[in-house]
Amino acid sequence: MTAIQLNAMNVQLWQNIGTIADNEPLMKRLSKYVARLVKAKDDPTLMTKEEFYAKIEKAEEDYRQGKTFAMLPGENYMDFRKRIGR
């Protein structure tokens, strides 16, 4: 995105906020929505739909190539991780 496009988007955003600034219910909704956006931005596990499907495809390919591990009966998660070296 160019600086001009970013500036135009910022101007439009502030104009729209100014339009609803005197409407308390809309400002509350906007505040809640912005809080969710901020929380999502800080979420390191958040990924795009494309990233998600790429991860699944890679896992399926690893499975086809036998690059997988299985937990043994009665094995707990920590023992499993130690056994596979992670």
Side-chain angles (χ1 to χ4, degrees), residues 39-72:
K39 197 178 280 187
K41 178 185 180 283
D42 295 335
D43 186 354
T45 63
L46 191 64
M47 64 180 88
T48 66
K49 190 176 184 179
E50 292 79 19
E51 291 170 328
F52 175 76
Y53 286 117
K55 207 168 197 174
I56 290 175
E57 288 175 12
K58 183 183 179 327
E60 288 173 341
E61 184 58 32
D62 287 348
Y63 177 77
R64 282 191 284 280
Q65 294 177 6
K67 298 178 183 175
T68 59
F69 301 97
M71 287 180 69
L72 301 174

Side-chain angles (χ1 to χ4, degrees), residues 69-84:
F69 301 97
M71 287 180 69
L72 301 174
E75 185 176 37
N76 68 36
Y77 180 69
M78 293 308 293
D79 291 339
F80 170 70
R81 287 188 56 146
K82 286 178 190 173
R83 182 171 55 85
I84 65 171

Side-chain angles (χ1 to χ4, degrees), residues 26-37:
L26 288 178
M27 286 299 289
K28 283 183 181 180
R29 286 176 53 194
L30 177 61
S31 178
K32 286 180 184 178
Y33 180 69
V34 170
R36 282 197 315 263
L37 286 176

Side-chain angles (χ1 to χ4, degrees), residues 1-14:
M1 181 176 293
T2 67
I4 293 171
Q5 291 171 322
L6 184 59
N7 186 46
M9 191 170 38
N10 283 333
V11 168
Q12 183 183 15
L13 174 65
W14 288 111

